[in-house]
Amino acid sequence: MSDTAKLVFGAVLGVLYLVIGLLQMVGAVVGPLPGLDALSLTGNLFGGFVLLVVGAVFIAGVRKLAAGSGEGAIFVSVGFLLSVAFGLVELLALCALGLDAYLVGEWAEWSVADAVNPLLYLAVLGAVGFLAWGRTFLRGLTAA
Amino acid sequence: MKREIRIALTGNPNVGKTTLFNALTGSRQHVGNWPGVTVEKKTGKASRNGCEFEVVDLPGTYSLTAYSADEVVARDFILDEKPDVVVQVVDATNLERNLYLTTQLAELRTPIVVALNMADMAEAQGDPIDYRRLSAFLEIPVVRTVGTRGEGLQDLLDAAIREAETSPHHEHTIGYGNEVETLIATLVDALRTDADLSGRYPLRWLAVKLLEGDENVLAMVRGGAAFPRVEGVLSSIDADEYEAAMADKRYEAISAVLPQVRKASFREMSPSDMVDRVVTDRYLGIPIFLALMWGAFELTFTVATPFMTAIDTVVAWLAEFVAGSIEPAWLASLLGDGIIGGVGSVLIFLPNIFILFLILAILEDSGYLARAAFIMDRPLYALGLPGKSFVPMLVGFGCNVPAIMATRSIEGEKDRLLTILVNPFMSCSARLPVYILFAGVFFPEQAGSVVFFLYVLGIAVAIASAKLFRSTILPGEASPFVMEMPPYRIPTAKTALLHMWSRGSMYIRKAGTIILAGVLVVWVLASFPFGVEYGGAESFAGMIGHVLEPLVAPLGFDWKVAVALIFGFIAKEIVVGSLGTLYGTGEETLPTALLADPGLSAATALALMVFVLLYTPCVAALGVIRKETGSWKWTGFSVAYGLVVAWILAFVVGHGAGLFMGGM
Amino acid sequence: MMDGTCPLALLAAGTEAKVADIRAGKGMQARLFGMGFCPDARVKVQCADRGSIIVSVGDARYALSRGIAMKILVGCAKETA
Ligand SMILES: Nc1nc2c(ncn2[C@@H]2O[C@H](COP(=O)(O)OP(=O)(O)O)[C@@H](O)[C@H]2O)c(=O)[nH]1
Ligand SMILES: [Mg+2]
């Protein structure tokens, strides 16, 4: 895939991460925002910060790509990597909490829907980008 | 034929010495990317063809002129202990710099074998090394190895056997040009008169080192018979100039060989450099770092929960089983209340510790941690701390014992001492149970924020103390920062797990020894004199508490807390267990008992948490402080300083909070 | 600008140069030689945004504090984009 595809995809992801991160941080400070249930914001200030950071990496890459700098592609690739990494963190946390609920016998009250959060579902998009571009990038990185 | 051969593994930092050492000896220990992490002399055994090998893993060093404590260890071992064969592990992807050390080792006239490690990486980069030709040029056996996959080990040992049995050893030295060679000859003549030195070290090597202005070698010569003549020669020349000229000659010799053994390839900008552009970006570097740290702590605390629940269940079941089925009652009490309860309250944090160490190992092995240290260098430098203090500080959140040991890679003595002294303020996971208990009971709504506040307070105290020490007892600036940025690698599960284990197992050992002993002491003090109520006011523990009560009374603590704090000195987790004992409840009902105690208010609980955070390192940490600083004075200072700071801050925080919440 | 020398610390990111001289203290000097910083070695500044810089020499990358980078003098040779 071309740099243009990467640029567009990175820009979409970047904006998503930034907007959702911003909403989550605002929500964490002023309390749950109405009408945003579909986004499953967690009210976790630090989680919001992480979303912003990942978004910022994407946007920095997109801006460099748009300006014609080859470095931008690396920023976007690192963005995919971060996106997937934090998705994994959240996935592991989710499994752990589920397991714990099972162990203490609160399995019935536990639901995946409650545990889903933006870092988790945005990572699905990140993973798509990672599969498209990230693997060759990683191979190049560790071979050299 | 020699049956036992001693080989020393030496080489630059991060070339895979420890990996090879593990592969050769099968021992389990630290493997990592952090430059200079091999700080201890590790020995192991291997055998091949009826030969027994004693293998020593030395710290990484760039040259034989020692600069840091690590390098002194490496050099002194080779010089003074005279291993039968020195195996220099060489990073095949970084040949030029690695061979510089080879040229120095060759002057020592010890048998050398070069292990051309990371051969897989060099080949993957399309830059394979013709090791046979390299061997021919160097006149040193060169063996191709891949430490991570255990390739080339047999060849390496075979070569070592051959080298150990060949004697005498000819010098493979490089010529430094007429002018220098004349000086070397003059110095060698002079040195010959010092019988003691000439018996122990190759004269040419001594002469070369003297010309290079090596302080250690000069110190060896000083006072000897040869000194006046040596000094005469040295004072007539400008040593600085020769040092550079000789280094030049060595690199010249190396660059003459390199094109013969590999295709010269020059990469414009490797992907590794490009990733560095992102993670060290002026604006994004620190945010990315903070985000990753958040991820690390998120994993540490959430992923551990099911494991903690499981351990908790097992311990509780065991304690109950013992209490119900063992006679006589005192034995049941010793086993149940004492050992199982006490050690159990410590074991429950194993999941936290292991997960944190695993994440650190992954970050370290991937190469990111070195970048993080680079990013944090400036902020740390502003605080008077060296950039390399960063990893010890981070490890301190897990346990201060391995953290303090990790300070060995810090070069300056003062820097190192400073890092050791402020490290205990990093809130280790042993303190967490105390926070969880008290924050959970007294601040059920804001427990998370309270715990977070304590972590931040710990960091703030560490920073303030560093500033204070810098301007008083340890004046000066942080020493300059020089650190290798290893290339990024995908960490293998095996190395990461080994790495985690080597740090985490210290904690298990601690639980099995110091904490077990501490728990027994607590039980004895709480049960005697014979016949008293367990942990009651008449027990020894109660008496000690009453004696100490006046000291902590201004903080709002009563005798029970005083006793718990004393026991917490053994290991801070014990505070929780001993309070359970002293309140005469199990850990299950301790929260209720605490809430019901009219002497404990939310403000007092806060003061107590602050006190536990800051007061004196635990016994295990003090043990390493003593060992690492080599001084009882600094160890004592660490205790005293911690106590004073804890008392003052607990007082301020407790009374401050009391004003807001009422009832101190 | 082939003739002049200037401290490594003053080079911009992406600049390549040749080491001309090293003026560090005794032990540090030996260490720097061992690391590959010796006269005529080609170095390239990879990152210069912060308190320290990242420099590559041969196949190795190092983070150096500005203090040390001031002691490594390089010939101000060519710049790459
Ligand atoms: N690809 C590759 N990696 C290696 C090899 N040997 C060691 N490593 C990796 O290099 C890193 C540093 O190794 P370590 O043994 O700690 O180096 P030391 O500082 O010299 O003891 C670790 O992450 C190892 O997994 C090798 O032969 N090939
Ligand atoms: Mg090692």
Side-chain angles (χ1 to χ4, degrees), chain B residues 469-585:
Chain B
F469 295 162
R470 269 296 180 211
S471 54
T472 52
I473 49 176
L474 295 167
E477 294 213 323
S479 62
F481 184 61
V482 179
M483 199 175 67
E484 187 167 357
M485 304 271 116
Y488 290 98
R489 299 187 180 109
I490 297 181
T492 63
K494 193 177 138 203
T495 47
L497 287 171
L498 269 177
H499 195 153
M500 167 192 87
W501 175 252
S502 75
R503 278 184 180 152
S505 58
M506 271 186 239
Y507 192 77
I508 296 189
R509 228 174 298 144
K510 180 175 127 187
T513 53
I514 294 178
I515 293 179
L516 182 62
V519 163
L520 287 176
V521 171
V522 173
W523 182 83
V524 167
L525 290 178
S527 312
F528 291 90
F530 199 71
V532 297
E533 187 195 346
Y534 184 63
E538 277 78 49
S539 67
F540 285 132
M543 292 185 225
I544 297 174
H546 281 292
V547 171
L548 290 174
E549 194 168 8
L551 279 180
V552 290
L555 306 176
F557 306 162
D558 65 2
W559 67 271
K560 295 197 215 61
V561 174
V563 175
L565 288 174
I566 295 276
F567 293 151
F569 178 56
I570 296 162
K572 295 196 173 178
E573 310 86 322
I574 296 182
V575 169
V576 173
S578 1
L579 280 175
T581 304
L582 295 167
Y583 274 91
T585 68

Side-chain angles (χ1 to χ4, degrees), chain B residues 84-143:
Chain B
D84 298 312
V85 181
V86 173
V87 172
Q88 189 200 346
V89 185
V90 161
D91 177 354
T93 63
N94 211 328
L95 213 49
E96 188 173 10
R97 183 196 73 197
N98 280 261
L99 290 180
Y100 185 79
L101 181 63
T102 318
T103 62
Q104 297 201 326
L105 285 171
E107 284 169 346
L108 276 179
R109 298 182 94 169
T110 48
I112 309 172
V113 173
V114 166
L116 192 67
N117 198 38
M118 310 237 182
D120 58 329
M121 297 257 277
E123 285 150 23
Q125 287 171 19
D127 190 14
I129 311 290
D130 185 341
Y131 60 96
R132 291 192 190 83
R133 289 190 77 174
L134 182 61
S135 176
F137 277 113
L138 297 175
E139 299 178 33
I140 293 173
V142 177
V143 180

Side-chain angles (χ1 to χ4, degrees), chain A residues 44-121:
Chain A
N44 181 332
L45 193 66
F46 299 106
F49 170 75
V50 172
L51 287 166
L52 286 183
V53 172
V54 178
V57 171
F58 277 122
I59 294 301
V62 167
R63 285 186 48 192
K64 281 176 205 265
L65 271 182
S69 153
E71 225 176 271
I74 301 291
F75 275 72
V76 175
S77 294
V78 172
F80 290 139
L81 212 64
L82 288 175
S83 165
V84 172
F86 284 109
L88 279 178
V89 166
E90 289 302 312
L91 188 66
L92 280 173
L94 181 135
C95 295
L97 291 179
L99 184 61
D100 192 55
Y102 178 76
L103 284 178
V104 297
E106 288 168 6
W107 182 240
E109 293 142 51
W110 189 80
S111 87
V112 175
D114 292 341
V116 164
N117 67 60
L119 276 174
L120 202 58
Y121 59 74

Side-chain angles (χ1 to χ4, degrees), chain B residues 260-601:
Chain B
Q260 315 276 337
V261 299
R262 73 180 223 196
K263 292 178 292 188
S265 68
F266 182 73
R267 282 185 301 278
E268 256 313 306
M269 187 168 173
S270 72
S272 211
D273 292 331
M274 293 196 274
V275 172
D276 278 350
R277 285 282 168 88
V278 185
V279 300
T280 66
D281 184 84
R282 189 195 301 248
Y283 306 107
L284 291 172
I286 290 186
I288 291 176
F289 164 71
L290 290 176
L292 287 172
M293 288 303 109
W294 174 84
F297 280 88
E298 169 91 349
L299 279 180
T300 304
F301 294 116
T302 52
V303 174
T305 36
F307 298 101
M308 294 171 81
T309 306
I311 294 178
D312 199 26
T313 315
V314 171
V315 168
W317 176 82
L318 254 182
E320 205 165 299
F321 174 78
V322 165
S325 61
I326 291 197
E327 292 287 335
W330 69 265
L331 186 62
S333 160
L334 171 63
L335 290 175
D337 297 332
I339 295 179
I340 298 176
V343 175
S345 65
V346 175
L347 284 184
I348 193 159
F349 298 99
L350 276 186
N352 276 325
I353 293 193
F354 273 80
I355 292 173
L356 180 61
F357 284 155
L358 179 64
I359 296 167
L360 282 177
I362 291 173
L363 287 177
E364 196 169 331
D365 290 349
S366 71
Y368 180 72
L369 226 44
R371 274 73 184 179
F374 170 73
I375 294 169
M376 294 307 288
D377 178 50
R378 174 128 88 180
L380 285 173
Y381 187 83
L383 305 170
L385 284 165
K388 283 187 184 172
S389 67
F390 166 76
V391 166
M393 296 307 229
L394 207 56
V395 174
F397 285 124
C399 175
N400 300 114
V401 172
I404 290 169
M405 291 175 62
T407 60
R408 289 194 204 164
S409 63
I410 297 172
E411 273 125 30
E413 263 317 296
K414 271 188 194 167
D415 290 349
R416 188 155 172 245
L417 190 55
L418 184 68
T419 312
I420 291 176
L421 289 178
V422 301
N423 196 280
F425 296 123
M426 308 311 282
S427 187
C428 68
S429 45
R431 281 164 253 193
L432 193 63
V434 184
Y435 309 156
I436 292 177
L437 174 68
F438 282 91
V441 170
F442 291 95
F443 302 91
E445 300 299 315
Q446 300 99 21
S449 309
V450 168
V451 174
F452 185 72
F453 159 76
L454 289 162
Y455 274 85
V456 173
L457 181 68
I459 298 171
V461 170
I463 289 172
S465 303
K467 276 262 185 219
L468 178 68
F469 295 162
R470 269 296 180 211
S471 54
T472 52
I473 49 176
L474 295 167
E477 294 213 323
S479 62
F481 184 61
V482 179
M483 199 175 67
E484 187 167 357
M485 304 271 116
Y488 290 98
R489 299 187 180 109
I490 297 181
T492 63
K494 193 177 138 203
T495 47
L497 287 171
L498 269 177
H499 195 153
M500 167 192 87
W501 175 252
S502 75
R503 278 184 180 152
S505 58
M506 271 186 239
Y507 192 77
I508 296 189
R509 228 174 298 144
K510 180 175 127 187
T513 53
I514 294 178
I515 293 179
L516 182 62
V519 163
L520 287 176
V521 171
V522 173
W523 182 83
V524 167
L525 290 178
S527 312
F528 291 90
F530 199 71
V532 297
E533 187 195 346
Y534 184 63
E538 277 78 49
S539 67
F540 285 132
M543 292 185 225
I544 297 174
H546 281 292
V547 171
L548 290 174
E549 194 168 8
L551 279 180
V552 290
L555 306 176
F557 306 162
D558 65 2
W559 67 271
K560 295 197 215 61
V561 174
V563 175
L565 288 174
I566 295 276
F567 293 151
F569 178 56
I570 296 162
K572 295 196 173 178
E573 310 86 322
I574 296 182
V575 169
V576 173
S578 1
L579 280 175
T581 304
L582 295 167
Y583 274 91
T585 68
E587 260 172 65
E588 300 281 285
T589 48
L590 184 56
T592 339
L594 289 174
L595 268 181
D597 185 345
L600 275 176
S601 65

Side-chain angles (χ1 to χ4, degrees), chain B residues 97 251 273 281 377 481 483, chain C residues 33 50 52 61-63 65:
Chain B
R97 183 196 73 197
Y251 277 113
D273 292 331
D281 184 84
D377 178 50
F481 184 61
M483 199 175 67
Chain C
F33 286 150
R50 298 176 178 275
S52 322
R61 313 265 171 290
Y62 301 100
S65 65

Side-chain angles (χ1 to χ4, degrees), chain B residues 190-204:
Chain B
L191 287 166
R192 221 186 293 283
T193 57
D194 188 332
D196 184 36
L197 270 185
S198 52
R200 277 191 296 158
Y201 307 108
L203 293 179
R204 182 181 164 88

